[in-house]
Amino acid sequence: MAILGIDLGSHELQILQELQRAWPKVNSPCLREQVSIILQLGFLGTLLLVSLGRLVHLLGNRSNTTDQATDRHMICHRSSIIDKSSIVCTALLVGTHLLMLLMLTNGNDASCLSTTQAFSSEIMQVVSWAVTLIVLYKIRREKYMKFPWILRAWWMCNFLLSLFCTTLDINYIITSHSHLRTRDLANFICLLASTGLFSISIRGKTGMVFSHANGMGEPLLSEEVEKRSESKRESPYGKATLLQLITFSWLNPLFAAGIKKPLEQNDVPDLDIKDSAAFSSRSFSDCLKQVKDKDGAKNPSIYRAIFFFIRKKAAINALFAVVSAIASYVGPYLIDNFVNFLTDKKSRSLESGYLLALAFVGAKMVETTAQRQWIFGARQLGLRLRAALILRMYKKGLVLSGQSRQSHTSGEIINHMSVDVQRITKLTWYLNTVWMLPIQISLAIYILHINLGLGSVAALAATLTVMACNIPLTRTQKKYQSKIMEAKDSRMKSTSEVLQNVKTVKLQAWDNQFLNKLESLRKIEYEWLWKSQRLGALSGFIFWGSPTFISIVTFGTCMLMGIQLTAGRVLAALATFRMLQDPIFSLPDLLNVITQGKVSADRVVSYLQEDEIRQDAIEYIPKNQTQFDIEIINATFSWNPDLITPTLSNIEVKIKRGVKVAICGMVGSGKSSLLSCILGEIDKLSGQVKISGTKAYVPQSPWILSGNIRDNILFGNPYDPNKYDRTVQSCALIKDFELFSAGDLTEIGERGINMSGGQKQRIQIARAVYQDADIYLLDDPFSAVDAHTGTQLFADCLMGMLKDKTILFVTHQVEFLPAADLILVMRDGRIAQAGKFEDLLKQNSGFEVLVGAHSKALESILTVENSSRATQESTADDESNKDFDSTAELPPRKHDSEHDLSLEISEKEGRLVQDEEREKGSIGKEVYWSYITTVKGGALIPIILIAQSSFQILQVASNYWMAWVYPPDSDTEPLYKMDIILLVYVLLAVGSSLCVLLRTMLVAITGLWTAQTLFMKMLYSVMRAPMAFFDSTPTGRILNRASTDQSALDLEVAWTLGRCAFYIIQLLGTIAVMSQVAWEVFVIFIPVTAICIWYQQYYITTARELARISGTQRAPILHHFAESIAGAATIRAFDQEDRFTDGNLGLVDNHSRPWFHLVSAMEWLSFRLNLLSNSVFAFALLLLVSLPEGIIIPSIAGLAVTYAINLNVLQASVIWNICNAETNMISFERILQYSHLASEAALLIEDSRPPSNWPETGKICFRNLQIRYAEHLPSVLKNITCMFPGRRKIGVVGRTGSGKSTLIQAIFRIVEPREGSIIIDDIDISKIGLHDLRSRLSIIPQDPTMFEGTVRGNLDPLEQYSDREVWEALEKCQLGDIVRGKEEKLDFTVVENGENWSVGQRQLFCLGRALLKKSSILVLDEATASVDSATDGVIQKIISQEFKNHTVVTIAHRIHTVIDSDLILVLSDGRIAEYDTPTKLLERENSFFSRLIREYSKRSQSFSNTAHLNS
């Protein structure tokens, strides 16, 4: 039997022959005429209904114009090629169908049996297209921006009908061996015109540009989007013509620019408005609102919102994907016909051969075009969804409630944004596989059924079996993916925490501890990655071997059933099995991506549905309706509503306009929480909070944005020079600006890292003052500033510029309390006392404890001051006074502040944080070589290549065997018996499958091993980097490499490089098979390959830079996000959410621009490579058709065509993967950059280890010490020569920026001296290891740091002390009772940054660490700035007792903390101004220290008078 090849009886054979003869009649054009008539009637009927509806609407409301029409005052400025093309295509269709109608009247080409149906169909076609032409004229006249939906639907349906009819015509000509008719040519012209209209319908826009009658251009965009789109460069994609969209030639100008010079961010064109972050964000918000309105739920389903957001674009992509899938199976369908043609050339016309070749190539062209469009569309959809999700997550981060913020750390959220969003958007690309899979499998089974009959059932069963194997694999893979993400979250969380607190880690010598912690977290992640990769390798083996398995089962079944096989049928089956590889390969990828996407989507949805700050917690009252600015009525608040004890209870406060309210109390009493309840930051359990007026907020921990100082102060407000100058003056910043290299335009490092604590505090106070708000909430604003600056701030700022404002300020400085109109004393979350200063002193209910502590401190100062004055007259030395004056009054010099960093500031620009470094030019061979040889010097690479080569050779051999052994027709017997044929085929096929298993396992092992090695190198390099690196590198940059780039290295780079090699080997195999048949194919293959290589070189120069720009633009999004999360309370307090959201929009667009043009460039290249490979395929087909019979073996020629069908995919894949590998290698390149950073000095120097009891006395000698932060900057410390005696207390004082903190950093070698040395107990500290030095010293830093974990883990991270010692330390630092009151005791949780402890409590924990360590040398850097006077007194007493025989170096702004020091060192402008005992310094009236004491005494005078009156 010719069709099925099944051995049937004569009766059945006769029936089937009748059916075959009847096929041309069944396939007659009458079928299409009937479908065509129905389609035309549907179109014309719908058009009539729409027109009637429009007419009724116009009659009902004559004043309204059509919705889609633009303003009548608009005139057509420029017709587009789309508009013209639609008219040309429609006119062509009218003319063609008119011609066909005339031919019918002359009796030509009437193939339909029913003349009525034939005439009706053609007449209706002419009418329909004539009506379409009229509608198009109306669209142009009425100035439509879009084609009506009915017209687009009609064009789409007509295209599908034309495609169907042309396919039937070709099949009819081939099967009946007839010649081309005039009607066939006319149908082909109709198909071309319909294809053009179909393409126009997909885009939908007319493309016409209109302008006002006055000549002004009108973009016709919605105002909101237009407002946000502040674009300077046009979007070439947005104004591209149809032909440019199909060929991607709108990118040509970008390539022309990229080939001339390396591209920069400004060279990249803008996005089209629909691809912008603003448009995507607004669309997604509309979808969420739509879901919310439908469901009526508080938390709308994010999944449904995503569905609504993507459905339209996804449907268009799906249509292209389905067309591509259908076109790809035309080749396997025609293989048997082609082999039959070559076998029987004598009886077949050459014309039918050329027609076959045209069908092959035509299908390839349709497949190429449709494939490029759906892949590009999917990438574009991914870009839009990513932008929408990032914006949604950013907005969510700004409104997260306190409890939600504790459950989602910034590291986790950054991971959601960088990894999870990427996985979700990847899903949109794979989504089209869902529609393509069933179509591909159905077509494959249909083709197999035509060629193998019932053997196709076995093929289907085998295919389904292979796919079923995925179910358990996918379930396991999903579990592994969840575990990988959990492990990655933990690692990223810890990495983020270590990077944010890296200075503390280095000062405390915890480098190794945290390094080990990160190593152990990575080890857990690595174990899950290895399990996942191992499973992936197994999946790869199953699916590379699946065509072999399916073919063995199918051919075996055919042999058992006695189905006769010919070379043509076998080759058609083999080609189909190769095509089946695509859906089978894509299934594991699809399931893997779905599982990854589902896990990531669940995590993102979980985050997006977290509780938000309640917007109704605060009631805003207009100013004219109340006399109170703040009113809290019987309110209770809690940071954690689940706890029984609330944070604040029974709060009752009414504050009138212009009142100054001071809030004081012991550490942890609820002072900051009281301000938070006014801001609406803390959950309100009961009561009312009413606010009247705008707010400004200054948090206790300074929040400074990256950028320059002026931007931080303006904070989005317009620059008013007069107002700005008054603000800066009142906040005592003028002197600081004089010190900075670029004044107020000096760039601030991440988290204000290059500013002292006092400078950061005053900058954020200036920010608040410049806002000119009605209510000011200041949380301990004076803690970080010295006495003089504090007095100036209080007088000029609070009592000066803000004198008419309502101010609530938390303070521990009792001397400022008398000036307050109202004082609130907090105790245990309640307002214990309220009233004026004098009234509270009389009450004797706790307030006097705070005051008493301050009185004692003041008395100690006054005593020293008075005693020194008494002796001054007799010991005055005019000459020494003159000497002192010359040093104390040194003119201010331009140098940078007391940075915690290496300032990479250029004197000109004042820049600290430089733009992210990116390599330029091609990725060098040494980069690839470095990657390949990372593991075992690259020893495994040759084995992988041999395994892949063996796989290809054995696969070609098995197919060659099947083609050679079977005859071209059913009349000839095969060369060998069936069992021998199958045995040889099975052996070759199984051998090739085992090679695949070896290759996939080795790639998985090598890739992950390499990734792990590089991660460890980067980790060690970053952890050992000096502070200079961290000060000039935003955390986001490092986190970007640790998350996104590391993920690429873990999961993608090895497989991408592997695929490069595999596809090159496959291409060589295909060319070898083709050259066996016709070596002439090299005539075109060699020049085409040369053109391909040229295109690749032309493409890669632009694509490489786009990939690098895209990589560098990712970090600013994460950095901005991390900054915004940290300052969310401030942003909300200033009502700046919209401005920060707009900033995020700009950053997302900055990343989307190069990324969009990169993926577009990939499609640009792929389209051209596909066209070139199609030309090789066409040449090979024409050659095979034209060669005389007998020169070639038909079956082997058929095998060549079988391989050549995939030539376009293969050739494009080779170039594509080489380019993809280059862009993927950028991740490796970026990680490599951070694997070779400059390192600090060695942690341990074995030959120079200090004694175990060093330092014993704690004597510190400075000899000619000079320190600068960079070679081009002036010295910060200049010729410091002095000696701190052992076991003494030394106080270090000086104005902000004098070099105090730098001196401390020099002792710990955070900065290395340029000249001179520091000697501790006769050992030069530069000669010993950093660990030996830092582990023997103790420091309580200015910014208290706590790590996520437990109380015990924070006090003793190295686990060196017993629980008893830990409890003793807690008791001494006043935290014993608090910790004992917690249920978990020492295991009580500490959240990220210690947010569940007050700043004062965190500082006490730092004291606890020092008490445990008991070093001979203790450094206090503003250690008690954030605690009240009473607690400060207790701490000073504990330090005096516990460190009695230790060297204590104290930097302090509270004078009483250094007044009882043995020696005082006064620094000014990086030099020693004074160094002597406090008594001797006070004897000199003009000394700096004397002036400081007088300032403090004067400030406290009003307080002391009041205190004496009350006593």
Side-chain angles (χ1 to χ4, degrees), residues 548-567:
T548 305
F549 170 70
I550 295 168
S551 57
I552 289 170
V553 170
T554 307
F555 292 144
T557 305
C558 290
M559 290 172 187
L560 289 172
M561 293 178 69
I563 297 169
Q564 193 171 0
L565 298 174
T566 64

Side-chain angles (χ1 to χ4, degrees), residues 224-389:
E224 183 183 341
V225 174
E226 186 186 353
K227 181 184 168 187
R228 289 189 172 187
S229 175
E230 299 171 359
S231 51
K232 294 176 185 174
R233 298 159 296 277
E234 284 187 321
S235 166
Y237 171 74
K239 59 174 188 173
T241 63
L242 181 65
L243 185 64
Q244 286 175 328
L245 290 171
I246 292 168
T247 61
F248 297 93
S249 54
W250 54 270
L251 278 166
N252 288 350
L254 184 63
F255 281 107
I259 202 76
K260 290 175 187 171
K261 68 177 185 72
L263 290 176
E264 300 294 339
Q265 175 76 4
N266 289 334
D267 299 324
V268 184
D270 266 348
L271 296 165
D272 183 39
I273 193 68
K274 283 192 175 178
D275 296 318
S276 67
F279 190 94
S280 299
S281 175
R282 196 184 60 161
S283 300
F284 191 71
S285 297
D286 291 344
C287 293
L288 268 173
K289 188 174 181 296
Q290 188 182 344
V291 173
K292 195 172 183 178
D293 293 343
K294 275 188 179 180
D295 297 350
K298 182 188 173 185
N299 279 329
S301 168
I302 305 291
Y303 290 113
R304 287 189 65 193
I306 290 173
F307 168 72
F308 284 131
F309 180 75
I310 68 171
R311 62 181 176 179
K312 189 177 176 183
K313 182 73 177 171
I316 294 168
N317 292 341
L319 188 62
F320 278 123
V322 168
V323 169
S324 172
I326 293 169
S328 68
Y329 277 86
V330 171
Y333 176 77
L334 296 174
I335 283 280
D336 191 26
N337 289 317
F338 192 73
V339 173
N340 290 340
F341 168 81
L342 293 177
T343 307
D344 196 19
K345 260 189 179 179
K346 288 177 184 175
S347 61
R348 304 280 287 272
S349 67
L350 206 59
E351 189 184 49
S352 64
Y354 288 134
L355 192 62
L356 263 174
L358 180 65
F360 269 115
V361 176
K364 274 287 153 200
M365 289 301 293
V366 171
E367 180 195 350
T368 295
T369 306
Q371 188 182 49
R372 298 278 60 87
Q373 289 302 318
W374 83 251
I375 290 174
F376 170 72
R379 302 269 193 199
Q380 190 179 30
L381 181 59
L383 175 133
R384 292 175 184 177
L385 181 58
R386 182 177 62 203
L389 286 175

Side-chain angles (χ1 to χ4, degrees), residues 414 492 496 499-500 750-751 916 1033-1045 1111 1114-1120 1122 1230 1234:
I414 284 169
M492 287 305 298
S496 175
L499 292 175
Q500 284 174 6
E750 189 178 17
R751 301 186 309 280
E916 185 167 1
T1033 307
T1035 307
R1037 280 186 201 169
I1038 306 171
L1039 290 177
N1040 201 9
R1041 282 167 170 80
S1043 62
T1044 311
D1045 291 322
R1114 267 199 313 259
I1117 298 173
L1118 303 181
H1119 174 61
H1120 181 252
R1230 282 158 58 80
Y1234 278 21

Side-chain angles (χ1 to χ4, degrees), residues 1420-1486:
L1420 306 173
D1421 188 359
E1422 289 296 334
T1424 57
S1426 297
V1427 298
D1428 59 87
S1429 297
T1431 310
D1432 183 21
V1434 174
I1435 290 171
Q1436 294 303 329
K1437 191 177 177 183
I1438 292 166
I1439 291 171
S1440 299
Q1441 289 171 354
E1442 297 295 322
F1443 295 93
K1444 191 174 183 181
N1445 292 317
H1446 298 248
T1447 304
V1448 180
V1449 181
T1450 307
I1451 294 177
H1453 291 140
R1454 287 181 175 173
I1455 299 302
H1456 63 265
T1457 57
V1458 293
I1459 196 70
D1460 59 345
S1461 299
D1462 298 310
L1463 290 162
I1464 298 288
L1465 173 68
V1466 180
L1467 290 175
S1468 177
D1469 192 30
R1471 289 186 171 88
I1472 297 176
E1474 302 161 2
Y1475 183 47
D1476 215 326
T1477 62
T1479 309
K1480 287 189 177 177
L1481 289 175
L1482 286 169
E1483 286 172 1
R1484 301 182 224 165
E1485 196 170 327
N1486 290 329

